[in-house]
Amino acid sequence: MKYLKLIPIFLIGAMLTACNTTKKLYEAQEYDQVIQRLAPDICDGDMNANRINMVAASYHKANQADHERIQALKATGQPDVWPEIYQRYCSMKGRNEALKCFPTKVKNGINYRKLDLDDDLMAARNHAESFLVAKANQLLGSGSKADAAEAETYITQLARTNKENPNLMNLRKKQVFCTADVVTIGIADESDLPSYLVQAIYDFDEGEVPYALARAKASSAKVVVHVDEIEASPIRHDEVTFKETKDGKTATVTDHTQTKNATLKGSIEYRDNDGRRIGVVPFEVKSNFKNDFTTVAGDQTACSAETQKRLGGTPVPVPVDESLLLDAAKKLNDLIGQEMKK
């Protein structure tokens, strides 16, 4: 029982320590940390006046500081200020959300009102993204590895600003490749693919890709091609038959279409020098064969001028699966080259 009697003493000690820590944070002007520590308890019904006053003071002081800083940054007219402006708007909105659950009486007492920042946030984010994308592209386009390394800071900022930005993956890929001494390409489960497909996928022309490219197992940066599906359709022969008449003469016309295609589906994966995945681009490349020809039974003079133009074609040998798949693999090779130039 003597141990149980000590529990209240420990609890009081912990509470005093927490209060002292929060007070020190407030005195150090760490207002957001004060709000993070105390606001949830107030939402849950803690009506301690000192804590409410500390949160209220932190809220208003932090918002005032952000507002003044935003106005000063906007006054410069410089494009590089927008990432900070956006982050400060985010902080203001976050604080507003943290206090939204306070009882109405408390809100009125601390002069809390809902801030409508959505339009300001959207505008600031758009400006910030435009600056960060332009700055990263400028650094990556210089050809300097030092500039490419510096670009990582702006790309990381862009990811924090909007992780769905459509430029993000290509910027990350380019940054990693620009700082790498060599980029290697590999095909996942290469031994499972026909050798002629493997050779066609690797068959880059000199200068086709903008980086030193090597076929190896380890590298500073890597492109990994995953071929998940290989499909070759059966030969298809479609026919449409109709009659044409002219000057009492009749002809039976048949339009023929021979088709066959091959498809490679999969993804192109990019990894940095630590093996971390930068991004994945799915692909589907096709090789299509199609041959149209027209045959006529009966008197050809009964055919229309349009039909007469189509006459003369004949059935041709349909390419075998291997030929179409090889053509699809060459298209995949071209696609990889295009992707690495982005």
Side-chain angles (χ1 to χ4, degrees):
M1 293 296 294
K2 63 181 179 180
Y3 296 111
L4 294 176
K5 292 179 181 179
L6 293 176
I7 291 176
I9 297 175
F10 290 144
L11 287 174
I12 292 172
M15 291 171 63
L16 290 174
T17 300
C19 289
N20 288 335
T21 301
T22 305
K23 184 178 180 181
K24 288 178 180 177
L25 288 172
Y26 177 80
E27 291 171 349
Q29 299 183 15
E30 297 290 346
Y31 300 130
D32 284 327
Q33 291 193 46
V34 172
I35 293 171
Q36 289 171 12
R37 281 173 174 264
L38 299 182
D41 291 337
I42 296 171
C43 289
D44 289 339
D46 184 352
M47 295 294 106
N48 182 288
N50 289 332
R51 293 184 178 183
I52 292 174
N53 289 335
M54 193 180 298
V55 169
S58 297
Y59 175 76
H60 291 298
K61 287 183 178 182
N63 277 352
Q64 183 63 29
D66 279 341
H67 175 74
E68 291 175 358
R69 177 62 175 165
I70 287 170
Q71 297 309 308
L73 290 170
K74 285 183 177 180
T76 68
Q78 298 300 312
D80 60 349
V81 302
W82 286 103
E84 182 181 345
I85 291 174
Y86 173 69
Q87 292 303 324
R88 286 184 178 272
Y89 273 132
C90 286
S91 296
M92 293 176 71
K93 184 177 178 65
R95 291 183 206 111
N96 204 241
E97 290 294 315
L99 274 61
K100 186 171 66 173
C101 58
F102 281 16
T104 301
K105 184 177 180 180
V106 173
K107 288 181 183 178
N108 293 336
I110 65 174
N111 195 27
Y112 168 90
R113 61 185 178 85
K114 184 179 179 181
L115 299 178
D116 185 6
L117 297 173
D118 290 345
D119 290 343
D120 291 320
L121 268 169
M122 182 60 69
R125 192 183 82 171
N126 289 340
H127 284 301
E129 289 183 62
S130 295
F131 164 73
L132 293 169
V133 170
K135 184 64 176 179
N137 273 321
Q138 178 189 18
L139 290 167
L140 292 172
S142 73
S144 163
K145 285 193 175 184
D147 284 349
E150 183 184 348
E152 185 175 8
T153 300
Y154 296 95
I155 296 170
T156 300
Q157 251 188 307
L158 178 63
R160 288 202 304 266
T161 302
N162 180 12
K163 64 181 179 180
E164 302 298 330
N165 185 282
N167 299 284
L168 193 55
M169 193 194 76
N170 282 333
L171 288 172
R172 281 175 170 162
K173 175 182 64 177
K174 193 172 182 180
Q175 192 274 331
V176 167
F177 287 174
C178 284
T179 54
D181 293 325
V182 70
V183 178
T184 67
I185 183 168
I187 300 175
D189 302 319
E190 181 178 316
S191 60
D192 294 339
L193 299 179
S195 59
Y196 67 89
L197 292 185
V198 172
Q199 183 58 44
I201 294 171
Y202 281 131
D203 191 19
F204 292 98
D205 296 332
E206 185 176 353
E208 185 177 357
V209 292
Y211 309 100
L213 196 61
R215 183 175 170 184
K217 296 297 182 184
S219 66
S220 296
K222 181 175 286 189
V223 180
V224 183
V225 181
H226 298 265
V227 181
D228 301 323
E229 294 183 38
I230 301 175
E231 299 176 350
S233 72
I235 300 171
R236 180 170 173 172
H237 190 159
D238 295 316
E239 297 179 352
V240 177
T241 300
F242 54 94
K243 291 185 180 295
E244 290 189 345
T245 59
K246 183 180 179 182
D247 299 331
K249 301 172 185 177
T250 301
T252 301
V253 182
T254 302
D255 287 334
H256 305 263
T257 300
Q258 296 172 288
T259 56
K260 182 176 173 62
N261 60 69
T263 305
L264 298 179
K265 295 181 184 179
S267 60
I268 304 170
E269 178 187 4
Y270 302 100
R271 298 177 185 171
D272 65 14
N273 57 346
D274 294 320
R276 293 173 299 196
R277 179 183 290 181
I278 304 166
V280 177
V281 177
F283 68 78
E284 179 176 334
V285 289
K286 286 181 175 289
S287 178
N288 298 308
F289 167 82
K290 182 180 180 182
N291 178 51
D292 295 318
F293 62 97
T294 300
T295 59
V296 175
D299 195 329
Q300 289 190 12
T301 61
C303 296
S304 65
E306 185 63 33
T307 299
Q308 295 284 356
K309 290 179 183 179
R310 298 199 302 271
L311 295 177
T314 58
V316 298
V318 179
V320 297
D321 290 357
E322 180 175 325
S323 177
L324 287 172
L325 287 169
L326 180 60
D327 183 60
K330 291 177 180 177
K331 291 181 178 179
L332 176 55
N333 172 271
D334 292 339
L335 176 63
I336 294 169
Q338 292 166 10
E339 277 291 323
M340 293 183 68
K341 289 177 182 177
K342 288 183 178 179

Short mmCIF file of all heavy atoms in Angstrom, two decimals, residues 252-309:
data_model
loop_
_atom_site.label_atom_id
_atom_site.label_comp_id
_atom_site.label_asym_id
_atom_site.label_seq_id
_atom_site.Cartn_x
_atom_site.Cartn_y
_atom_site.Cartn_z
N THR A 252 -21.06 -8.34 -106.37
CA THR A 252 -20.99 -8.59 -104.92
C THR A 252 -19.60 -8.18 -104.45
O THR A 252 -18.59 -8.74 -104.89
CB THR A 252 -21.25 -10.07 -104.60
OG1 THR A 252 -22.56 -10.43 -105.09
CG2 THR A 252 -21.17 -10.32 -103.11
N VAL A 253 -19.56 -7.21 -103.57
CA VAL A 253 -18.30 -6.64 -103.10
C VAL A 253 -18.03 -7.10 -101.66
O VAL A 253 -18.94 -7.08 -100.82
CB VAL A 253 -18.34 -5.09 -103.14
CG1 VAL A 253 -17.00 -4.51 -102.69
CG2 VAL A 253 -18.71 -4.62 -104.54
N THR A 254 -16.81 -7.51 -101.43
CA THR A 254 -16.41 -7.91 -100.07
C THR A 254 -15.17 -7.13 -99.67
O THR A 254 -14.12 -7.20 -100.34
CB THR A 254 -16.12 -9.42 -99.98
OG1 THR A 254 -17.28 -10.14 -100.40
CG2 THR A 254 -15.76 -9.81 -98.55
N ASP A 255 -15.29 -6.35 -98.58
CA ASP A 255 -14.14 -5.65 -98.01
C ASP A 255 -13.51 -6.54 -96.94
O ASP A 255 -14.20 -7.01 -96.01
CB ASP A 255 -14.58 -4.32 -97.38
CG ASP A 255 -14.92 -3.27 -98.41
OD1 ASP A 255 -14.39 -3.35 -99.54
OD2 ASP A 255 -15.74 -2.37 -98.10
N HIS A 256 -12.22 -6.79 -97.06
CA HIS A 256 -11.49 -7.67 -96.14
C HIS A 256 -10.51 -6.85 -95.30
O HIS A 256 -9.91 -5.90 -95.79
CB HIS A 256 -10.69 -8.72 -96.92
CG HIS A 256 -11.49 -9.53 -97.88
ND1 HIS A 256 -11.98 -10.78 -97.58
CD2 HIS A 256 -11.90 -9.27 -99.16
CE1 HIS A 256 -12.64 -11.27 -98.62
NE2 HIS A 256 -12.60 -10.36 -99.60
N THR A 257 -10.36 -7.24 -94.05
CA THR A 257 -9.35 -6.62 -93.17
C THR A 257 -8.61 -7.72 -92.41
O THR A 257 -9.23 -8.50 -91.68
CB THR A 257 -9.99 -5.65 -92.17
OG1 THR A 257 -10.68 -4.62 -92.88
CG2 THR A 257 -8.93 -5.01 -91.29
N GLN A 258 -7.30 -7.77 -92.60
CA GLN A 258 -6.45 -8.69 -91.84
C GLN A 258 -5.79 -7.89 -90.71
O GLN A 258 -5.21 -6.83 -90.95
CB GLN A 258 -5.34 -9.27 -92.73
CG GLN A 258 -5.80 -10.14 -93.88
CD GLN A 258 -4.64 -10.48 -94.78
OE1 GLN A 258 -4.14 -9.62 -95.50
NE2 GLN A 258 -4.20 -11.74 -94.75
N THR A 259 -5.88 -8.38 -89.50
CA THR A 259 -5.24 -7.68 -88.37
C THR A 259 -4.56 -8.68 -87.44
O THR A 259 -4.99 -9.83 -87.31
CB THR A 259 -6.26 -6.87 -87.55
OG1 THR A 259 -7.31 -7.74 -87.11
CG2 THR A 259 -6.84 -5.73 -88.36
N LYS A 260 -3.53 -8.18 -86.80
CA LYS A 260 -2.82 -8.94 -85.76
C LYS A 260 -1.99 -7.92 -85.00
O LYS A 260 -1.50 -6.94 -85.58
CB LYS A 260 -1.92 -10.01 -86.38
CG LYS A 260 -1.18 -10.89 -85.35
CD LYS A 260 -0.39 -11.98 -86.05
CE LYS A 260 0.49 -12.75 -85.09
NZ LYS A 260 -0.32 -13.46 -84.06
N ASN A 261 -1.83 -8.10 -83.69
CA ASN A 261 -1.01 -7.15 -82.93
C ASN A 261 -0.27 -7.86 -81.81
O ASN A 261 -0.62 -8.99 -81.41
CB ASN A 261 -1.87 -6.01 -82.38
CG ASN A 261 -2.97 -6.50 -81.46
OD1 ASN A 261 -2.70 -6.97 -80.36
ND2 ASN A 261 -4.22 -6.39 -81.91
N ALA A 262 0.74 -7.19 -81.33
CA ALA A 262 1.52 -7.68 -80.19
C ALA A 262 1.67 -6.54 -79.19
O ALA A 262 1.79 -5.37 -79.57
CB ALA A 262 2.89 -8.17 -80.65
N THR A 263 1.67 -6.87 -77.91
CA THR A 263 1.70 -5.85 -76.86
C THR A 263 2.70 -6.23 -75.77
O THR A 263 2.76 -7.39 -75.35
CB THR A 263 0.31 -5.69 -76.22
OG1 THR A 263 -0.66 -5.41 -77.24
CG2 THR A 263 0.30 -4.58 -75.20
N LEU A 264 3.44 -5.24 -75.33
CA LEU A 264 4.29 -5.38 -74.14
C LEU A 264 3.78 -4.41 -73.09
O LEU A 264 3.62 -3.21 -73.37
CB LEU A 264 5.76 -5.06 -74.47
CG LEU A 264 6.46 -5.94 -75.50
CD1 LEU A 264 7.89 -5.44 -75.71
CD2 LEU A 264 6.46 -7.40 -75.07
N LYS A 265 3.50 -4.91 -71.89
CA LYS A 265 3.03 -4.06 -70.79
C LYS A 265 3.99 -4.20 -69.62
O LYS A 265 4.55 -5.28 -69.38
CB LYS A 265 1.63 -4.47 -70.34
CG LYS A 265 0.54 -4.27 -71.37
CD LYS A 265 -0.80 -4.71 -70.79
CE LYS A 265 -1.92 -4.61 -71.83
NZ LYS A 265 -3.22 -5.05 -71.28
N GLY A 266 4.16 -3.12 -68.90
CA GLY A 266 5.02 -3.17 -67.72
C GLY A 266 5.26 -1.78 -67.18
O GLY A 266 4.39 -0.91 -67.26
N SER A 267 6.44 -1.55 -66.65
CA SER A 267 6.76 -0.25 -66.06
C SER A 267 8.26 0.00 -66.14
O SER A 267 9.06 -0.94 -66.20
CB SER A 267 6.30 -0.19 -64.59
OG SER A 267 6.94 -1.20 -63.82
N ILE A 268 8.60 1.29 -66.14
CA ILE A 268 10.00 1.72 -66.07
C ILE A 268 10.20 2.31 -64.69
O ILE A 268 9.54 3.27 -64.30
CB ILE A 268 10.31 2.77 -67.15
CG1 ILE A 268 9.96 2.24 -68.54
CG2 ILE A 268 11.78 3.18 -67.10
CD1 ILE A 268 10.01 3.30 -69.63
N GLU A 269 11.12 1.71 -63.94
CA GLU A 269 11.36 2.13 -62.56
C GLU A 269 12.70 2.86 -62.47
O GLU A 269 13.68 2.45 -63.07
CB GLU A 269 11.37 0.90 -61.65
CG GLU A 269 11.66 1.20 -60.19
CD GLU A 269 11.82 -0.06 -59.37
OE1 GLU A 269 11.79 -1.16 -59.94
OE2 GLU A 269 12.00 0.06 -58.14
N TYR A 270 12.71 3.95 -61.70
CA TYR A 270 13.93 4.74 -61.52
C TYR A 270 14.37 4.65 -60.06
O TYR A 270 13.56 4.81 -59.15
CB TYR A 270 13.70 6.19 -61.91
CG TYR A 270 13.22 6.35 -63.33
CD1 TYR A 270 11.88 6.54 -63.62
CD2 TYR A 270 14.11 6.29 -64.39
CE1 TYR A 270 11.43 6.68 -64.93
CE2 TYR A 270 13.68 6.42 -65.71
CZ TYR A 270 12.34 6.62 -65.96
OH TYR A 270 11.90 6.74 -67.25
N ARG A 271 15.67 4.41 -59.85
CA ARG A 271 16.22 4.31 -58.49
C ARG A 271 17.43 5.22 -58.36
O ARG A 271 18.18 5.41 -59.32
CB ARG A 271 16.63 2.87 -58.18
CG ARG A 271 15.49 1.85 -58.20
CD ARG A 271 16.02 0.47 -57.94
NE ARG A 271 14.98 -0.56 -58.07
CZ ARG A 271 15.21 -1.86 -58.06
NH1 ARG A 271 16.46 -2.30 -57.94
NH2 ARG A 271 14.22 -2.72 -58.19
N ASP A 272 17.63 5.74 -57.15
CA ASP A 272 18.82 6.57 -56.93
C ASP A 272 20.00 5.70 -56.53
O ASP A 272 19.92 4.47 -56.54
CB ASP A 272 18.53 7.66 -55.88
CG ASP A 272 18.24 7.09 -54.49
OD1 ASP A 272 18.51 5.90 -54.25
OD2 ASP A 272 17.75 7.85 -53.64
N ASN A 273 21.11 6.34 -56.17
CA ASN A 273 22.34 5.57 -55.91
C ASN A 273 22.27 4.75 -54.63
O ASN A 273 23.13 3.91 -54.39
CB ASN A 273 23.56 6.50 -55.88
CG ASN A 273 23.40 7.60 -54.84
OD1 ASN A 273 22.32 7.85 -54.32
ND2 ASN A 273 24.49 8.28 -54.54
N ASP A 274 21.24 5.00 -53.80
CA ASP A 274 21.06 4.19 -52.59
C ASP A 274 20.00 3.10 -52.80
O ASP A 274 19.61 2.42 -51.85
CB ASP A 274 20.64 5.07 -51.41
CG ASP A 274 21.74 6.03 -51.01
OD1 ASP A 274 22.91 5.61 -51.00
OD2 ASP A 274 21.44 7.21 -50.72
N GLY A 275 19.56 2.97 -54.04
CA GLY A 275 18.57 1.95 -54.34
C GLY A 275 17.15 2.35 -54.05
O GLY A 275 16.22 1.55 -54.20
N ARG A 276 16.94 3.60 -53.63
CA ARG A 276 15.58 4.06 -53.32
C ARG A 276 14.82 4.37 -54.60
O ARG A 276 15.38 4.94 -55.53
CB ARG A 276 15.63 5.30 -52.43
CG ARG A 276 16.18 5.04 -51.04
CD ARG A 276 16.37 6.32 -50.27
NE ARG A 276 17.32 7.20 -50.95
CZ ARG A 276 17.90 8.24 -50.36
NH1 ARG A 276 17.61 8.54 -49.11
NH2 ARG A 276 18.76 8.99 -51.03
N ARG A 277 13.55 4.02 -54.61
CA ARG A 277 12.73 4.25 -55.80
C ARG A 277 12.39 5.73 -55.93
O ARG A 277 11.88 6.36 -55.00
CB ARG A 277 11.45 3.43 -55.70
CG ARG A 277 10.51 3.62 -56.88
CD ARG A 277 9.23 2.85 -56.72
NE ARG A 277 9.42 1.42 -56.84
CZ ARG A 277 8.43 0.54 -56.75
NH1 ARG A 277 7.20 0.94 -56.53
NH2 ARG A 277 8.68 -0.75 -56.87
N ILE A 278 12.69 6.29 -57.09
CA ILE A 278 12.34 7.68 -57.38
C ILE A 278 10.93 7.76 -57.92
O ILE A 278 10.16 8.66 -57.58
CB ILE A 278 13.32 8.27 -58.42
CG1 ILE A 278 14.76 8.13 -57.95
CG2 ILE A 278 12.99 9.73 -58.69
CD1 ILE A 278 15.76 8.40 -59.05
N GLY A 279 10.60 6.84 -58.80
CA GLY A 279 9.28 6.85 -59.41
C GLY A 279 9.13 5.71 -60.39
O GLY A 279 10.10 5.02 -60.73
N VAL A 280 7.91 5.49 -60.82
CA VAL A 280 7.59 4.41 -61.75
C VAL A 280 6.68 4.96 -62.84
O VAL A 280 5.71 5.66 -62.55
CB VAL A 280 6.90 3.23 -61.03
CG1 VAL A 280 6.50 2.16 -62.02
CG2 VAL A 280 7.82 2.65 -59.97
N VAL A 281 7.01 4.64 -64.08
CA VAL A 281 6.19 5.05 -65.22
C VAL A 281 5.65 3.79 -65.90
O VAL A 281 6.43 2.99 -66.41
CB VAL A 281 7.00 5.88 -66.24
CG1 VAL A 281 6.14 6.23 -67.44
CG2 VAL A 281 7.54 7.14 -65.59
N PRO A 282 4.34 3.57 -65.89
CA PRO A 282 3.80 2.39 -66.58
C PRO A 282 3.89 2.57 -68.09
O PRO A 282 3.88 3.70 -68.60
CB PRO A 282 2.34 2.35 -66.12
CG PRO A 282 2.02 3.76 -65.75
CD PRO A 282 3.29 4.38 -65.25
N PHE A 283 3.99 1.47 -68.81
CA PHE A 283 4.00 1.56 -70.27
C PHE A 283 3.16 0.45 -70.88
O PHE A 283 2.94 -0.60 -70.27
CB PHE A 283 5.44 1.49 -70.82
CG PHE A 283 6.12 0.15 -70.66
CD1 PHE A 283 5.84 -0.91 -71.50
CD2 PHE A 283 7.06 -0.03 -69.65
CE1 PHE A 283 6.46 -2.15 -71.34
CE2 PHE A 283 7.69 -1.27 -69.48
CZ PHE A 283 7.39 -2.32 -70.34
N GLU A 284 2.70 0.71 -72.08
CA GLU A 284 2.03 -0.29 -72.91
C GLU A 284 2.39 0.06 -74.35
O GLU A 284 1.95 1.08 -74.87
CB GLU A 284 0.52 -0.27 -72.71
CG GLU A 284 -0.21 -1.29 -73.59
CD GLU A 284 -1.71 -1.34 -73.33
OE1 GLU A 284 -2.13 -1.00 -72.20
OE2 GLU A 284 -2.46 -1.71 -74.25
N VAL A 285 3.22 -0.76 -74.97
CA VAL A 285 3.63 -0.51 -76.35
C VAL A 285 3.04 -1.60 -77.24
O VAL A 285 2.99 -2.77 -76.86
CB VAL A 285 5.17 -0.47 -76.50
CG1 VAL A 285 5.73 0.78 -75.85
CG2 VAL A 285 5.82 -1.70 -75.90
N LYS A 286 2.59 -1.19 -78.42
CA LYS A 286 1.93 -2.11 -79.33
C LYS A 286 2.60 -2.09 -80.70
O LYS A 286 3.11 -1.06 -81.14
CB LYS A 286 0.46 -1.74 -79.51
CG LYS A 286 -0.44 -2.08 -78.34
CD LYS A 286 -1.88 -1.69 -78.64
CE LYS A 286 -2.82 -2.13 -77.54
NZ LYS A 286 -2.99 -3.60 -77.52
N SER A 287 2.57 -3.23 -81.35
CA SER A 287 2.93 -3.33 -82.76
C SER A 287 1.70 -3.87 -83.48
O SER A 287 1.21 -4.96 -83.14
CB SER A 287 4.13 -4.26 -82.95
OG SER A 287 4.44 -4.38 -84.32
N ASN A 288 1.20 -3.12 -84.43
CA ASN A 288 -0.05 -3.49 -85.10
C ASN A 288 0.18 -3.80 -86.58
O ASN A 288 0.90 -3.06 -87.27
CB ASN A 288 -1.07 -2.34 -84.99
CG ASN A 288 -1.44 -2.04 -83.55
OD1 ASN A 288 -1.82 -2.93 -82.81
ND2 ASN A 288 -1.33 -0.79 -83.17
N PHE A 289 -0.41 -4.87 -87.02
CA PHE A 289 -0.43 -5.19 -88.44
C PHE A 289 -1.87 -5.09 -88.93
O PHE A 289 -2.79 -5.60 -88.29
CB PHE A 289 0.09 -6.60 -88.71
CG PHE A 289 -0.19 -7.09 -90.10
CD1 PHE A 289 0.63 -6.72 -91.16
CD2 PHE A 289 -1.29 -7.90 -90.36
CE1 PHE A 289 0.35 -7.15 -92.46
CE2 PHE A 289 -1.58 -8.33 -91.65
CZ PHE A 289 -0.75 -7.96 -92.70
N LYS A 290 -2.03 -4.41 -90.08
CA LYS A 290 -3.37 -4.30 -90.66
C LYS A 290 -3.23 -4.25 -92.18
O LYS A 290 -2.41 -3.51 -92.72
CB LYS A 290 -4.08 -3.04 -90.17
CG LYS A 290 -5.50 -2.89 -90.71
CD LYS A 290 -6.15 -1.62 -90.17
CE LYS A 290 -7.57 -1.46 -90.70
NZ LYS A 290 -8.22 -0.21 -90.25
N ASN A 291 -4.04 -5.05 -92.88
CA ASN A 291 -4.05 -5.05 -94.34
C ASN A 291 -5.49 -5.08 -94.82
O ASN A 291 -6.27 -5.96 -94.45
CB ASN A 291 -3.29 -6.26 -94.89
CG ASN A 291 -3.32 -6.31 -96.41
OD1 ASN A 291 -3.00 -5.32 -97.06
ND2 ASN A 291 -3.71 -7.45 -96.97
N ASP A 292 -5.85 -4.09 -95.63
CA ASP A 292 -7.21 -4.00 -96.20
C ASP A 292 -7.16 -4.32 -97.69
O ASP A 292 -6.26 -3.87 -98.40
CB ASP A 292 -7.77 -2.59 -96.02
CG ASP A 292 -7.98 -2.23 -94.55
OD1 ASP A 292 -8.45 -3.08 -93.80
OD2 ASP A 292 -7.63 -1.08 -94.18
N PHE A 293 -8.10 -5.10 -98.15
CA PHE A 293 -8.23 -5.33 -99.58
C PHE A 293 -9.68 -5.65 -99.90
O PHE A 293 -10.47 -6.00 -99.01
CB PHE A 293 -7.29 -6.45 -100.08
CG PHE A 293 -7.56 -7.80 -99.48
CD1 PHE A 293 -8.34 -8.73 -100.18
CD2 PHE A 293 -7.05 -8.17 -98.24
CE1 PHE A 293 -8.60 -9.98 -99.64
CE2 PHE A 293 -7.30 -9.41 -97.70
CZ PHE A 293 -8.07 -10.33 -98.40
N THR A 294 -10.02 -5.51 -101.16
CA THR A 294 -11.42 -5.68 -101.60
C THR A 294 -11.47 -6.66 -102.76
O THR A 294 -10.65 -6.59 -103.69
CB THR A 294 -12.02 -4.34 -102.02
OG1 THR A 294 -12.01 -3.44 -100.91
CG2 THR A 294 -13.46 -4.50 -102.50
N THR A 295 -12.45 -7.57 -102.71
CA THR A 295 -12.68 -8.50 -103.81
C THR A 295 -14.09 -8.31 -104.36
O THR A 295 -14.99 -7.86 -103.63
CB THR A 295 -12.49 -9.96 -103.35
OG1 THR A 295 -13.40 -10.24 -102.28
CG2 THR A 295 -11.06 -10.21 -102.88
N VAL A 296 -14.25 -8.66 -105.63
CA VAL A 296 -15.55 -8.47 -106.29
C VAL A 296 -15.93 -9.76 -107.01
O VAL A 296 -15.11 -10.37 -107.70
CB VAL A 296 -15.49 -7.32 -107.31
CG1 VAL A 296 -16.82 -7.22 -108.07
CG2 VAL A 296 -15.20 -6.00 -106.61
N ALA A 297 -17.16 -10.18 -106.82
CA ALA A 297 -17.73 -11.30 -107.58
C ALA A 297 -18.83 -10.73 -108.46
O ALA A 297 -19.73 -10.04 -107.99
CB ALA A 297 -18.30 -12.36 -106.63
N GLY A 298 -18.75 -10.98 -109.77
CA GLY A 298 -19.72 -10.42 -110.70
C GLY A 298 -19.07 -9.41 -111.62
O GLY A 298 -17.84 -9.40 -111.81
N ASP A 299 -19.84 -8.53 -112.17
CA ASP A 299 -19.36 -7.56 -113.15
C ASP A 299 -18.77 -6.34 -112.43
O ASP A 299 -19.48 -5.58 -111.78
CB ASP A 299 -20.52 -7.12 -114.05
CG ASP A 299 -20.04 -6.42 -115.31
OD1 ASP A 299 -18.97 -5.75 -115.23
OD2 ASP A 299 -20.71 -6.51 -116.34
N GLN A 300 -17.46 -6.13 -112.60
CA GLN A 300 -16.80 -5.03 -111.90
C GLN A 300 -17.29 -3.66 -112.36
O GLN A 300 -17.20 -2.68 -111.63
CB GLN A 300 -15.28 -5.11 -112.10
CG GLN A 300 -14.61 -6.26 -111.37
CD GLN A 300 -13.09 -6.16 -111.41
OE1 GLN A 300 -12.54 -5.14 -111.79
NE2 GLN A 300 -12.42 -7.24 -111.03
N THR A 301 -17.84 -3.61 -113.60
CA THR A 301 -18.33 -2.31 -114.09
C THR A 301 -19.54 -1.82 -113.31
O THR A 301 -19.95 -0.66 -113.42
CB THR A 301 -18.68 -2.41 -115.59
OG1 THR A 301 -19.73 -3.39 -115.76
CG2 THR A 301 -17.47 -2.81 -116.41
N ALA A 302 -20.11 -2.71 -112.50
CA ALA A 302 -21.25 -2.31 -111.66
C ALA A 302 -20.80 -1.62 -110.38
O ALA A 302 -21.62 -1.07 -109.65
CB ALA A 302 -22.10 -3.53 -111.32
N CYS A 303 -19.49 -1.65 -110.14
CA CYS A 303 -18.98 -1.09 -108.88
C CYS A 303 -18.89 0.42 -108.94
O CYS A 303 -18.64 1.01 -109.99
CB CYS A 303 -17.60 -1.66 -108.58
SG CYS A 303 -17.60 -3.45 -108.29
N SER A 304 -19.06 1.05 -107.81
CA SER A 304 -18.95 2.50 -107.70
C SER A 304 -17.49 2.92 -107.85
O SER A 304 -16.56 2.10 -107.77
CB SER A 304 -19.46 2.95 -106.33
OG SER A 304 -18.62 2.44 -105.30
N ALA A 305 -17.30 4.21 -108.05
CA ALA A 305 -15.94 4.75 -108.20
C ALA A 305 -15.13 4.49 -106.93
O ALA A 305 -13.93 4.19 -106.99
CB ALA A 305 -16.01 6.24 -108.52
N GLU A 306 -15.77 4.60 -105.78
CA GLU A 306 -15.06 4.37 -104.51
C GLU A 306 -14.59 2.94 -104.42
O GLU A 306 -13.47 2.66 -103.99
CB GLU A 306 -16.00 4.72 -103.34
CG GLU A 306 -15.34 4.64 -101.97
CD GLU A 306 -14.22 5.64 -101.82
OE1 GLU A 306 -14.30 6.74 -102.41
OE2 GLU A 306 -13.25 5.31 -101.10
N THR A 307 -15.44 1.99 -104.79
CA THR A 307 -15.05 0.58 -104.76
C THR A 307 -13.92 0.31 -105.75
O THR A 307 -12.99 -0.44 -105.47
CB THR A 307 -16.26 -0.31 -105.07
OG1 THR A 307 -17.27 -0.09 -104.07
CG2 THR A 307 -15.88 -1.77 -105.08
N GLN A 308 -14.00 0.92 -106.94
CA GLN A 308 -12.97 0.74 -107.96
C GLN A 308 -11.59 1.13 -107.41
O GLN A 308 -10.58 0.49 -107.71
CB GLN A 308 -13.29 1.57 -109.21
CG GLN A 308 -14.56 1.17 -109.95
CD GLN A 308 -14.36 -0.10 -110.79
OE1 GLN A 308 -13.27 -0.64 -110.87
NE2 GLN A 308 -15.44 -0.58 -111.39
N LYS A 309 -11.54 2.19 -106.57
CA LYS A 309 -10.27 2.63 -105.99
C LYS A 309 -9.67 1.57 -105.07
O LYS A 309 -8.45 1.47 -104.93
CB LYS A 309 -10.47 3.93 -105.20
CG LYS A 309 -10.77 5.15 -106.05
CD LYS A 309 -10.99 6.36 -105.15
CE LYS A 309 -11.36 7.58 -105.97
NZ LYS A 309 -11.60 8.77 -105.09
#
